[in-house]
Amino acid sequence: MIITGETIDYVAALAKIQLSEEERLRAKKDLGEIIGYMERMNELDTTDVEPMSHAFPLSNVFREDEITNGDEREAMLLNAPNQKDGYFVVPKTVE
């Protein structure tokens, strides 16, 4: 694929940036090298390579949702300086 000035202008417009002439030339060269590398990658024989989503095998680290603590409401309320009807009593913060 040949990168033209129109391609660079199009990409710059998509990125909403303005490029000087020097930046346009450098971007044209860099984008050409990137596309060239991708074309080189497409030449590789990948017929026996299985598709993968990660380079390393991953497994879910989920665990079962099990209750490990019970109803300790009374024990927690023993630490409260003030309590009423089974709830913490705190100072009013909003008028």
Side-chain angles (χ1 to χ4, degrees):
M1 177 178 187
I2 298 173
I3 305 300
T4 64
E6 291 174 351
T7 306
I8 298 301
D9 292 339
Y10 178 71
V11 172
L14 287 176
K16 298 186 187 297
I17 58 174
Q18 293 181 348
L19 299 175
S20 67
E21 189 59 35
E22 179 184 321
E23 292 170 329
R24 287 179 79 236
L25 292 173
R26 190 172 56 216
K28 184 176 179 180
K29 177 183 172 281
D30 291 345
L31 193 55
E33 289 176 0
I34 292 169
I35 299 297
Y37 184 74
M38 295 309 296
E39 288 173 352
R40 208 169 132 201
M41 295 291 286
N42 286 333
E43 294 172 2
L44 294 174
D45 180 23
T46 58
T47 53
D48 294 332
V49 179
E50 290 185 35
M52 60 182 175
S53 60
H54 297 283
F56 300 103
L58 297 177
S59 61
N60 287 336
V61 292
F62 299 125
R63 59 175 170 75
E64 292 297 320
D65 191 13
E66 298 174 1
I67 297 174
T68 57
N69 57 346
D71 183 20
E72 300 175 7
R73 180 182 201 167
E74 296 301 321
M76 287 188 286
L77 284 172
L78 291 175
N79 294 320
N82 296 322
Q83 58 175 306
K84 181 179 178 184
D85 299 328
Y87 296 99
F88 290 100
V89 176
V90 296
K92 189 174 185 179
T93 57
V94 179
E95 296 292 329

